[in-house]
Amino acid sequence: MSTTDAAGGDAYDALLDRYRRVSNVRHADGILMWDQQTKMPAGGTPARAEQRSTLSSLEHDLLTDGELGRLLEAVDEGGLDDAERAAVAEIRRQHERADRVPDELVADIARIESSAHETWVEAKADDDFDALAPTLERIVDRYRERADHLDSGKHPFEAIYGDSEPFLPISTVEEIFEDLKATLVPLVEEIRAAGELPTPFDGTYDERSQLALSEDALDRVGYDWTRGRLDTAAHPFTFGNQFDCRVTTRFDESDPLAGLTSTVHEFGHATYNLGLPRERYGTPLGESGSHGVHESQSRFFENHVGRSKPFWEGFVDTANDRLGSGASAEAAYAAVNRVKPDNRIRVEADELTYHLHILVRFETEKALLGGDIEVSEVPAMWNDKMEEYLGVRPETDSEGCLQDIHWTAGYLAAFQNYTVGSVLAAQLDAAMREELDDVDALIRDGEFGPVHEWLSENVHRHGRRYPTDELVAEATGEPLSADAFREYATAKFESLYGL
Amino acid sequence: MSTTDAAGGDAYDALLDRYRRVSNVRHADGILMWDQQTKMPAGGTPARAEQRSTLSSLEHDLLTDGELGRLLEAVDEGGLDDAERAAVAEIRRQHERADRVPDELVADIARIESSAHETWVEAKADDDFDALAPTLERIVDRYRERADHLDSGKHPFEAIYGDSEPFLPISTVEEIFEDLKATLVPLVEEIRAAGELPTPFDGTYDERSQLALSEDALDRVGYDWTRGRLDTAAHPFTFGNQFDCRVTTRFDESDPLAGLTSTVHEFGHATYNLGLPRERYGTPLGESGSHGVHESQSRFFENHVGRSKPFWEGFVDTANDRLGSGASAEAAYAAVNRVKPDNRIRVEADELTYHLHILVRFETEKALLGGDIEVSEVPAMWNDKMEEYLGVRPETDSEGCLQDIHWTAGYLAAFQNYTVGSVLAAQLDAAMREELDDVDALIRDGEFGPVHEWLSENVHRHGRRYPTDELVAEATGEPLSADAFREYATAKFESLYGL
């Protein structure tokens, strides 16, 4: 190895060491977040807010640190292999992105958001959009300013979009939505006309039985309990890394399928993190890809496993035991796939209407961040689009544009990632079925080993090595599109509803 | 306010802001520790070790930061009040102490300790002191080096002692031990001769009943569940602040009093943290005093409440309900105070022999850190002293010098704080009884309001404002000594054992 190589290599190691500190601070903050949402007594909020604010500011300091910038210049990429170069590129991307936004703006946004959540909770409870409007205006202003710093040549929505999906051209997302709109709007209309499917789970189910059932489901799909746990949270989420990745869920007494599918969804997120290479912990190659890719793993397990017929053929007896029900596999499969065209709440939506809820948000947010509409015009645009795509109009803003936590929690221009995840899940499912024998039998028999291996081989083990479009093309042989989802969903729901 | 004052005040505010970051990182690390010991799946260890190592290194960086040093010089103490000056003095003490130890030595100690715990666990399990000896030698070497950097003019034990008790002359501790030795060695001998007290709790008690009983006890002593919670841990501890302070405990199926007294002990720690001034969170005036003062609060509740006759007069019915027992208050009181002169394990020791176990450690550690003995001589010295003070000789090192977690966990020269806490608890109890009417009646009736108020007024609300000896003199009118403990313990145990 030449001297230059050695020096480049040293700089690479030093760079990774610096980045590991950033990563460890993020993981620590994640544990504080997990704790806050599952274990922390209510009184702990003020101190927790200060702790997380300090960690967030330290993360920013470490990422924009001059020494990290110097190491990025010093590293000799010629002496590195492809994977190492990808790691450097990702660290550079994060460093430059953080560096572009002035510290005062970062602090200002943090200050606004620290009280915005509370304002949103109250406005939603009171169905009072005007109470949220001034806060939302400040948030939109600051994010437009942030977008300008990030990339003044881009539409502000696209610049912010890069926060959660740095690796996929936004034009791909726009094409996906055009395609879904054309397919789903008429399909949902046909389903509305066909009438509601029955459910065999129409009783009341206590939380203890539902928790046991969720544990059974996690056992069946292969959750590694030595590296995970299951808790309840008001807003289910998954947090962790390749050593410790935890699932949360929530239960509805009148709908045991809601909690169960939520658990299986979160398991998909967990299995991604748990499948990241252990020896790469704390570096980009040991971190998961974009939000959309992450969501593809949860949607794969939620929809292509948990909402599949073979899964229910293998699992319905367990469900009946836990719930005291007497459902057939057919009936359970139909019940877990009921389409609810009149539902106005995104998190309660089915597999089809879900994307129309997202579309409403995608278009409203683009108009808002682009300056095409004022904050005061949000409720009207939201309701008009609900009517246009779903044929229902929210009667209140609480069940309309006030329903989501995202805008006051710092997740702007992020909703579309859920749809990206769903269409990618369908595309991965199709590709997996070309390579593996009889995936249905594996799912029915609870033999998930080959499924995990395929996902690990094609997605998990890569960490953040490839941009989303390259990862998708490599795993599926096709660019990302809504094709596989459209075929899967049309076939499934036409059959279920006898269309 | 003059310009100088304003500048001094600005520097003071900036200094506190800097210190709050140190404090928030410590609190974040504390949550990671709590999680690790109560909730983390076993597989999470490698990532957690890295996260905590990063936070610990960030804490050190923030505390030794040049800007913090500059602010300490810039602050105009003339423009500050007494409390503010105390805060500055405490920040200065921590900054200078951290600054004296070279970064490489800090990192080296962290490296040794990261694997030392595992080595200790194995050596203890195998009863193999030689397997621990090389690690212990490295630890002792590095701590002697550390002591030399901290204060080369002091005995190494005394220099390290300042880590956990910066505010009490070590000569006071030495006097306390001389006094206790003279009192306890003959008293324990008399008790051994008198024979064992009976217990009405000699069955098997499941964990669920014991947990419910611990919750009852916490209700009775006044735990604020909106700012706390109760979990189990292998080594019970308390962690938190004035907004969120959590108790852990553990249960022994054959001894329900062990778990109960452990819970009440930890409650004492929690009530101290929960009584710190909220508006001072993150600053020295919002942090608890030394380890010994903290232990005084836990020992007060464990011994002067949980092991008192009036407590059992008020609580025995609840205990009988939960445990299905039929104990009288007298019998329960006697059982919870059984002295075990033949016990060799510190954490299972009673209120009297406990301090003789500590004395063995205090003297052995002093000899070891002072260079008077080699690591290889520790087992013999330990066993000789056990025989001298307790009249029993450990038959193995596992039940001798390998029993404690401390030396491989970075707690050197710290055992004596437990004894300081006990004697201070007795001194506070005596002072409280001079000021409050009929404390026994309050404890019997579960009316803990005035007790909490007295402790808050005299201890909690001050945060870290006063050195330990000033705090004690202010609260009790006397310098710290073993007098109150000696009187309390002699009267109590002479009566219990009919001596």
PDB file of all heavy atoms in Angstrom, chain A residues 12 118 152 278 379 384 463 479 484 486 499:
ATOM      1  N   TYR A  12      -9.953   7.704   6.188  1.00  0.00           N
ATOM      2  CA  TYR A  12     -11.226   6.981   6.118  1.00  0.00           C
ATOM      3  C   TYR A  12     -11.626   6.445   7.488  1.00  0.00           C
ATOM      4  O   TYR A  12     -12.761   6.623   7.929  1.00  0.00           O
ATOM      5  CB  TYR A  12     -11.105   5.829   5.106  1.00  0.00           C
ATOM      6  CG  TYR A  12     -12.344   4.974   5.004  1.00  0.00           C
ATOM      7  CD1 TYR A  12     -13.485   5.445   4.346  1.00  0.00           C
ATOM      8  CD2 TYR A  12     -12.376   3.710   5.587  1.00  0.00           C
ATOM      9  CE1 TYR A  12     -14.630   4.656   4.268  1.00  0.00           C
ATOM     10  CE2 TYR A  12     -13.523   2.919   5.508  1.00  0.00           C
ATOM     11  CZ  TYR A  12     -14.639   3.397   4.849  1.00  0.00           C
ATOM     12  OH  TYR A  12     -15.769   2.637   4.773  1.00  0.00           O
ATOM     13  N   GLU A 118     -47.992  20.438  20.967  1.00  0.00           N
ATOM     14  CA  GLU A 118     -49.032  20.746  21.950  1.00  0.00           C
ATOM     15  C   GLU A 118     -50.150  21.577  21.310  1.00  0.00           C
ATOM     16  O   GLU A 118     -51.337  21.324  21.544  1.00  0.00           O
ATOM     17  CB  GLU A 118     -48.373  21.543  23.099  1.00  0.00           C
ATOM     18  CG  GLU A 118     -49.089  21.478  24.416  1.00  0.00           C
ATOM     19  CD  GLU A 118     -49.275  20.064  24.934  1.00  0.00           C
ATOM     20  OE1 GLU A 118     -48.374  19.230  24.729  1.00  0.00           O
ATOM     21  OE2 GLU A 118     -50.355  19.794  25.502  1.00  0.00           O
ATOM     22  N   SER A 152     -31.654  26.157  -3.764  1.00  0.00           N
ATOM     23  CA  SER A 152     -32.564  27.219  -4.208  1.00  0.00           C
ATOM     24  C   SER A 152     -33.068  26.972  -5.630  1.00  0.00           C
ATOM     25  O   SER A 152     -34.041  27.574  -6.061  1.00  0.00           O
ATOM     26  CB  SER A 152     -31.875  28.584  -4.119  1.00  0.00           C
ATOM     27  OG  SER A 152     -30.716  28.560  -4.935  1.00  0.00           O
ATOM     28  N   ARG A 278     -23.986  -6.351  11.234  1.00  0.00           N
ATOM     29  CA  ARG A 278     -23.619  -5.964  12.602  1.00  0.00           C
ATOM     30  C   ARG A 278     -22.274  -5.257  12.665  1.00  0.00           C
ATOM     31  O   ARG A 278     -22.081  -4.326  13.434  1.00  0.00           O
ATOM     32  CB  ARG A 278     -23.556  -7.204  13.503  1.00  0.00           C
ATOM     33  CG  ARG A 278     -24.905  -7.854  13.619  1.00  0.00           C
ATOM     34  CD  ARG A 278     -24.947  -8.872  14.733  1.00  0.00           C
ATOM     35  NE  ARG A 278     -26.111  -9.731  14.532  1.00  0.00           N
ATOM     36  CZ  ARG A 278     -26.528 -10.641  15.387  1.00  0.00           C
ATOM     37  NH1 ARG A 278     -25.880 -10.815  16.522  1.00  0.00           N
ATOM     38  NH2 ARG A 278     -27.580 -11.374  15.134  1.00  0.00           N
ATOM     39  N   PRO A 379     -57.599  23.896   4.606  1.00  0.00           N
ATOM     40  CA  PRO A 379     -58.793  23.056   4.825  1.00  0.00           C
ATOM     41  C   PRO A 379     -59.631  22.888   3.552  1.00  0.00           C
ATOM     42  O   PRO A 379     -60.061  21.764   3.248  1.00  0.00           O
ATOM     43  CB  PRO A 379     -59.572  23.825   5.903  1.00  0.00           C
ATOM     44  CG  PRO A 379     -58.531  24.625   6.626  1.00  0.00           C
ATOM     45  CD  PRO A 379     -57.525  25.006   5.580  1.00  0.00           C
ATOM     46  N   ASP A 384     -61.693  19.492  -0.730  1.00  0.00           N
ATOM     47  CA  ASP A 384     -62.000  19.347  -2.160  1.00  0.00           C
ATOM     48  C   ASP A 384     -61.341  18.100  -2.739  1.00  0.00           C
ATOM     49  O   ASP A 384     -61.947  17.347  -3.511  1.00  0.00           O
ATOM     50  CB  ASP A 384     -61.508  20.578  -2.946  1.00  0.00           C
ATOM     51  CG  ASP A 384     -62.339  21.814  -2.636  1.00  0.00           C
ATOM     52  OD1 ASP A 384     -63.420  21.665  -1.995  1.00  0.00           O
ATOM     53  OD2 ASP A 384     -61.905  22.928  -3.016  1.00  0.00           O
ATOM     54  N   GLY A 463     -27.366  -2.095   3.703  1.00  0.00           N
ATOM     55  CA  GLY A 463     -27.344  -0.846   4.459  1.00  0.00           C
ATOM     56  C   GLY A 463     -27.696   0.304   3.541  1.00  0.00           C
ATOM     57  O   GLY A 463     -28.611   0.199   2.716  1.00  0.00           O
ATOM     58  N   PRO A 479     -37.068  -0.658 -12.946  1.00  0.00           N
ATOM     59  CA  PRO A 479     -37.118   0.596 -12.183  1.00  0.00           C
ATOM     60  C   PRO A 479     -38.386   0.615 -11.325  1.00  0.00           C
ATOM     61  O   PRO A 479     -39.342  -0.100 -11.610  1.00  0.00           O
ATOM     62  CB  PRO A 479     -37.167   1.677 -13.258  1.00  0.00           C
ATOM     63  CG  PRO A 479     -37.678   0.999 -14.484  1.00  0.00           C
ATOM     64  CD  PRO A 479     -37.269  -0.445 -14.384  1.00  0.00           C
ATOM     65  N   ALA A 484     -46.386  -3.302 -10.386  1.00  0.00           N
ATOM     66  CA  ALA A 484     -46.599  -4.533  -9.604  1.00  0.00           C
ATOM     67  C   ALA A 484     -47.736  -4.331  -8.603  1.00  0.00           C
ATOM     68  O   ALA A 484     -48.576  -5.210  -8.420  1.00  0.00           O
ATOM     69  CB  ALA A 484     -45.310  -4.927  -8.888  1.00  0.00           C
ATOM     70  N   ARG A 486     -50.254  -2.280  -8.862  1.00  0.00           N
ATOM     71  CA  ARG A 486     -51.519  -2.197  -9.585  1.00  0.00           C
ATOM     72  C   ARG A 486     -52.027  -3.592  -9.936  1.00  0.00           C
ATOM     73  O   ARG A 486     -53.188  -3.922  -9.704  1.00  0.00           O
ATOM     74  CB  ARG A 486     -51.334  -1.363 -10.853  1.00  0.00           C
ATOM     75  CG  ARG A 486     -52.610  -0.747 -11.377  1.00  0.00           C
ATOM     76  CD  ARG A 486     -52.331   0.032 -12.644  1.00  0.00           C
ATOM     77  NE  ARG A 486     -51.544  -0.794 -13.557  1.00  0.00           N
ATOM     78  CZ  ARG A 486     -50.427  -0.395 -14.176  1.00  0.00           C
ATOM     79  NH1 ARG A 486     -49.976   0.821 -14.006  1.00  0.00           N
ATOM     80  NH2 ARG A 486     -49.787  -1.212 -14.989  1.00  0.00           N
ATOM     81  N   LEU A 499     -65.652  -8.516  -8.549  1.00  0.00           N
ATOM     82  CA  LEU A 499     -65.877  -7.489  -9.595  1.00  0.00           C
ATOM     83  C   LEU A 499     -65.608  -8.067 -10.995  1.00  0.00           C
ATOM     84  O   LEU A 499     -64.811  -8.982 -11.156  1.00  0.00           O
ATOM     85  CB  LEU A 499     -64.957  -6.284  -9.351  1.00  0.00           C
ATOM     86  CG  LEU A 499     -65.071  -5.657  -7.962  1.00  0.00           C
ATOM     87  CD1 LEU A 499     -64.072  -4.508  -7.822  1.00  0.00           C
ATOM     88  CD2 LEU A 499     -66.480  -5.140  -7.699  1.00  0.00           C
TER      89      LEU A 499
END
